[in-house]
């Protein structure tokens, strides 16, 4: 009888340990530090509504980054060394509310979450390349 229950006890403990490890791993990944910038209101006009929306997203990223630099008390001139593609890579999430679309017009309110690690590394690289 003892021999039959021993593997079950080991398996049960192994399952519990594995579940705890996965839970803590998920929690640590979910708590990745973020820089959250909200209330970025963008109003764009272009040849079409889809083009205006595309421009609005690019400009929202840029305005959020400028606001982030200001919050971090870093010169806005840093933004001159960071292109739109790098900003896109730095964004973990984007929430768009109050979206309004017309023929050639787009307006929305953006909340942008930047990866803290990515932004910190990016600023460090820019500082090393081109001190301001």
């Amino acid at each position: 009888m003892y021999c039959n229950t021993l593997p079950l006890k080991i398996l049960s403990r192994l399952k519990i340990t594995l579940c705890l490890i996965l839970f803590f791993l998920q929690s640590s990944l979910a708590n990745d530090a973020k820089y959250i910038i909200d209330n970025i209101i963008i109003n764009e006009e272009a040849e079409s509504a889809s083009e205006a929306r595309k421009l609005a997203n690019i400009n929202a990223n840029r305005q959020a980054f400028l606001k982030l630099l200001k919050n971090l008390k870093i010169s806005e001139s840093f933004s001159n060394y960071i292109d739109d593609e790098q900003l896109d890579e730095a964004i973990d999430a984007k929430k768009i509310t109050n979206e309004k679309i017309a023929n050639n017009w787009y307006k929305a309110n953006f909340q942008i979450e930047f990866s803290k690690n990515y932004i910190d590394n990016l600023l460090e690289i820019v500082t090393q390349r081109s001190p301001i």
Side-chain angles (χ1 to χ4, degrees):
M1 180 86 149
Y2 178 75
C3 292
N4 290 341
T5 60
L6 185 61
L8 291 176
K9 285 183 181 179
I10 292 172
L11 282 175
S12 178
R13 286 187 180 173
L14 186 60
K15 276 188 196 176
I16 291 170
T17 304
L18 184 59
C19 287
L20 287 173
I21 289 170
L22 290 174
F23 173 77
F24 287 114
L25 181 62
Q26 179 197 15
S27 295
S28 67
L29 291 175
N31 290 332
D32 183 27
K34 310 268 188 244
Y35 288 126
I36 300 173
I37 306 296
D38 55 9
N39 204 30
I40 303 294
I41 299 169
I42 302 293
N43 187 357
E44 285 293 334
E45 266 187 67
E47 292 292 317
S48 67
S50 64
E51 187 63 29
R53 185 175 194 272
K54 186 177 175 180
L55 287 172
N57 273 276
I58 292 168
N59 290 333
N61 295 350
R62 182 64 55 185
Q63 283 190 25
F65 185 63
L66 290 171
K67 191 172 179 180
L68 173 61
L69 290 176
K70 185 177 179 182
N71 291 348
L72 295 173
K73 299 185 182 359
I74 296 173
S75 171
E76 287 184 3
S77 60
F78 265 91
S79 69
N80 298 332
Y81 299 98
I82 297 170
D83 62 33
D84 293 334
E85 201 172 290
Q86 288 171 310
L87 281 182
D88 244 5
E89 291 174 16
I91 294 172
D92 278 343
K94 188 183 289 189
K95 181 179 175 185
I96 302 172
T97 57
N98 300 323
E99 207 172 27
K100 293 178 177 47
I101 303 170
N103 293 337
N104 63 343
W105 173 81
Y106 179 87
K107 181 179 181 181
N109 189 334
F110 293 80
Q111 178 187 55
I112 297 178
E113 294 182 16
F114 292 101
S115 164
K116 183 179 184 315
N117 290 336
Y118 191 95
I119 291 293
D120 291 347
N121 289 335
L122 192 60
L123 293 174
E124 186 177 324
I125 290 167
V126 169
T127 303
Q128 289 172 358
R129 254 193 304 169
S130 308
I132 298 175

